[in-house]
Amino acid sequence: MLLHVANVLTAEEVARCRQLLDAADWADGRLTAGYQSARAKHNLQLPDDHPAAREIGALILDKLQRHPTFMAGALPRRIFPPLFNRYASGQSFGFHVDNAVRYPRTGDDRNPVRTDLSATLFLCGPEDYDGGELVIEDSFGTHSVKLPAGDLILYPASSLHQVTPVTRGERVASFFWIQSLVRDEGERRLLFDLDISIQSLTQANAEHPALVQLVGVYHNLLRRWSEV
Ligand code: NI
């Protein structure tokens, strides 16, 4: 499932992040790539321990934990500290699959994170650049993604994906991974669909007695499928 999470950051927050990022010193993106993906990766990346990465990363994590769509879709157990990349004109990242396990190099918790979900948070608008689409292949086909600044796309980390060459302007984004409470993609999808149905029924008739039972089913499935 691809999930578009809108308005993670406000326009003011994006502007503040860009101020910090535009003033920072960036490094070659291949420093953090795996052995195979290093050959496909041509972009710039902010060092993990850069003060701007920490400050913006903390803001993103705080906003995500209060975003109902993100929480319902990801059911996060752990979130990798957000990283940042930029693609200048001519830069791209060819098709690859993200590493299955990531070791945080900052923060108090350096335990490995299993990457169930990948996330890209756009820190520039579609009008700022041409090309630079995030192209994701899943069992339903090929999806091309370019979202407004402040919006996030969530997709299975197991899928093949690429960032096509930027042909004008610059593409700036944050990217990170999520270990979900529910490892299985199909189970996570069912829980999300059930959650959305419950929310819509609640809006239509919050007093309906069957809702209590339905919410119970949701939690009992989550109890059955989650690892904490
Ligand atoms: Ni990737």
Side-chain angles (χ1 to χ4, degrees):
M1 175 175 75
L2 267 62
L3 184 63
H4 176 176
V5 182
N7 303 314
V8 172
L9 297 181
T10 64
E12 294 72 32
E13 287 165 339
V14 170
R16 167 78 184 135
C17 293
R18 284 303 301 274
Q19 239 175 16
L20 290 169
L21 292 173
D22 292 347
D25 282 329
W26 293 69
D28 190 317
R30 275 171 284 199
L31 293 176
T32 58
Y35 172 72
Q36 197 199 13
S37 59
R39 294 188 302 174
K41 189 173 182 183
H42 306 282
N43 64 7
L44 294 172
Q45 193 167 312
L46 199 62
D48 302 23
D49 56 354
H50 194 288
R54 292 194 184 191
E55 182 179 340
I56 305 170
L59 170 70
I60 293 171
L61 294 181
D62 181 57
K63 296 298 297 273
L64 286 176
Q65 273 149 24
R66 289 184 279 136
H67 198 300
T69 309
F70 174 80
M71 293 303 286
L75 295 169
R77 178 168 187 243
R78 300 188 60 211
I79 304 178
F80 194 90
L83 299 173
F84 300 85
N85 59 19
R86 66 193 308 152
Y87 294 79
S89 195
Q91 294 192 311
S92 62
F93 194 168
F95 269 118
H96 65 279
V97 170
D98 292 344
N99 286 6
V101 176
R102 288 271 171 179
Y103 295 85
R105 289 185 288 191
T106 59
D108 298 333
D109 184 357
R110 307 280 176 107
N111 287 311
V113 175
R114 188 187 64 223
T115 60
D116 296 322
L117 292 157
S118 295
T120 296
L121 171 63
F122 289 78
L123 295 173
C124 58
E127 66 284 0
D128 297 333
Y129 60 105
D130 291 329
E133 283 92 1
L134 173 63
V135 176
I136 302 163
E137 285 191 354
D138 68 7
S139 46
F140 294 102
T142 301
H143 313 273
S144 182
V145 180
K146 189 187 266 200
L147 298 180
D151 285 17
L152 176 140
I153 187 81
L154 204 55
Y155 59 99
S158 55
S159 52
L160 264 179
H161 56 277
Q162 67 163 333
V163 175
T164 64
V166 169
T167 56
R168 176 190 64 86
E170 241 185 352
R171 177 193 193 271
V172 182
S174 174
F175 64 103
F176 49 93
W177 299 273
I178 297 110
Q179 179 170 339
S180 180
L181 290 166
V182 178
R183 178 181 192 160
D184 183 84
E185 154 82 4
E187 291 171 353
R188 208 182 314 118
R189 172 72 195 253
L190 282 173
L191 287 169
F192 181 69
D193 288 346
L194 184 54
D195 192 343
I196 297 297
S197 312
I198 289 170
Q199 286 177 36
S200 130
L201 284 173
T202 305
Q203 279 190 349
N205 180 4
E207 305 304 318
H208 198 292
L211 264 175
V212 176
Q213 225 168 1
L214 205 53
V215 171
V217 170
Y218 175 86
H219 284 289
N220 289 331
L221 284 173
L222 182 57
R223 201 185 324 276
R224 180 172 285 234
W225 290 338
S226 60
E227 331 164 318
V228 289

